[in-house]
Amino acid sequence: MGRSSQAIEPAEPNLLEITLAAAKRDAQTVLPSGDLRRRLTEGVKIRDLPTIPDQRGTITELFDSRWDFHPDPMVFAYCFTIRPGYVKGWNLHKAHEDRYVVLQGELEVVYFDPRPGSSTYGEVCSIVVTGHRRQIVTVPSWVWHADRNIGNVD
């Protein structure tokens, strides 16, 4: 039996093809070395704080002057919480720099740099600090910053 002489109409694109055609690749966030790829606001420093577990629990060293992490002495320390979904900010300190450590939960720290002589003048920078990877993070003086709880615990 011969083939039909009717023309075969092209099939409509399926939903997968439509969504793939419209998809945009995410920007690279992690380098092959495992380091995060991002431009930090000038003066922001981050240092990992390893958490050491044993059968009794864990220990995390929060600060040691021998690290040479910050030129200013540790003068005061305080603890704050933010309810899930809430923001504290905008804040700007003229006379001191903050140093943050998150012990539990997830915090987005957003910086805005209004300093005319800074290499990051006018830029916004966002970093996530989490209890899953404890770090000490600086907030330079004269930089606007806001803190947002992006987790589900205080």
Side-chain angles (χ1 to χ4, degrees):
M1 216 167 186
R3 293 192 172 171
S4 166
S5 61
Q6 289 180 323
I8 298 176
E9 303 239 354
E12 290 185 28
N14 66 33
L15 189 56
L16 176 61
E17 291 168 338
I18 293 169
T19 57
L20 285 174
K24 293 183 178 147
R25 180 180 293 271
D26 286 343
Q28 181 184 10
T29 58
V30 179
L31 300 171
S33 65
D35 295 323
L36 296 179
R37 179 184 177 187
R38 62 177 165 217
R39 177 176 166 96
L40 293 176
T41 299
E42 185 177 304
V44 171
K45 291 174 35 177
I46 300 173
R47 183 186 198 283
D48 284 344
L49 302 174
T51 299
I52 312 300
D54 67 19
Q55 67 277 10
R56 302 165 297 169
T58 64
I59 185 168
T60 303
E61 195 171 15
L62 299 179
F63 182 78
D64 187 325
S65 60
R66 295 172 294 180
W67 294 341
D68 230 4
F69 179 73
H70 199 278
D72 295 340
M74 182 71 78
V75 177
F76 64 89
Y78 63 92
C79 179
F80 68 91
T81 63
I82 302 175
R83 304 248 185 258
Y86 280 80
V87 175
K88 286 190 177 180
W90 290 93
N91 299 300
L92 180 142
H93 305 294
K94 298 175 185 176
H96 73 274
E97 296 189 3
D98 283 341
R99 292 168 240 174
Y100 288 177
V101 175
V102 172
L103 297 177
Q104 73 174 14
E106 298 172 289
L107 180 71
E108 178 186 30
V109 182
V110 180
Y111 303 87
F112 173 73
D113 189 351
R115 303 169 296 172
S118 169
S119 64
T120 54
Y121 171 71
E123 291 183 13
V124 173
C125 173
S126 170
I127 62 170
V128 173
V129 188
T130 172
H132 296 294
R133 182 180 179 184
R134 293 179 178 159
Q135 299 173 306
I136 185 169
V137 177
T138 60
V139 179
S141 54
W142 295 100
V143 171
W144 288 104
H145 57 285
D147 310 314
R148 180 171 68 114
N149 183 341
I150 58 174
N152 56 13
V153 297
D154 281 12

